[in-house]
Amino acid sequence: MKAIEESKISIVIFSENYASSRWCLNELVKIIDCKKTMGRKVLPIFYHVDPSHIRNQTGKFGEAFGKVKEKFKQSLDVVEEWSTALTEAANLSG
């Protein structure tokens, strides 16, 4: 997380399975937080996924995210942070 804070730019590569990784989702929350609080640049790359699938958590991307949501259903606040960060990142120009 310190490396993310110290970076001037973050490149996020979204794929169909991106949302299946709790690690990636936690990093994305940090990246979006740094964008908001420190003005860091974020460049999303959409690799074989449509930004709308990330924004709305649909398609194969949504299926992967659904599995993680089910696994962490006891931590709704964390899941909500992930969902919000995904939506915000998908709204950026890539």
Side-chain angles (χ1 to χ4, degrees):
M1 294 298 171
K2 185 178 182 196
I4 291 171
E5 287 178 6
E6 294 174 351
S7 298
K8 293 180 182 177
I9 186 169
S10 295
I11 299 172
V12 182
I13 302 173
F14 289 107
S15 66
E16 290 179 350
N17 293 317
Y18 181 92
S20 65
S21 169
R22 180 184 68 183
W23 181 280
C24 289
L25 293 168
N26 286 335
E27 286 185 342
L28 181 63
V29 169
K30 183 66 171 177
I31 288 167
I32 295 298
D33 181 58
C34 288
K35 177 187 181 312
K36 290 178 183 177
T37 61
M38 296 187 271
R40 300 296 195 246
K41 302 288 182 198
V42 179
L43 176 64
I45 296 176
F46 304 98
Y47 182 74
H48 296 294
V49 316
D50 190 89
S52 68
H53 292 164
I54 295 161
R55 186 177 306 111
N56 302 312
Q57 287 101 52
T58 59
K60 289 185 180 181
F61 186 90
E63 291 173 19
F65 188 55
K67 290 176 185 174
V68 170
K69 283 174 34 177
E70 180 63 29
K71 190 174 182 180
F72 291 92
K73 64 184 173 190
Q74 302 301 325
S75 303
L76 292 177
D77 56 329
V78 173
V79 172
E80 185 60 33
E81 282 184 331
W82 292 340
S83 182
T84 300
L86 287 166
T87 300
E88 290 182 30
N91 285 333
L92 299 172
S93 295

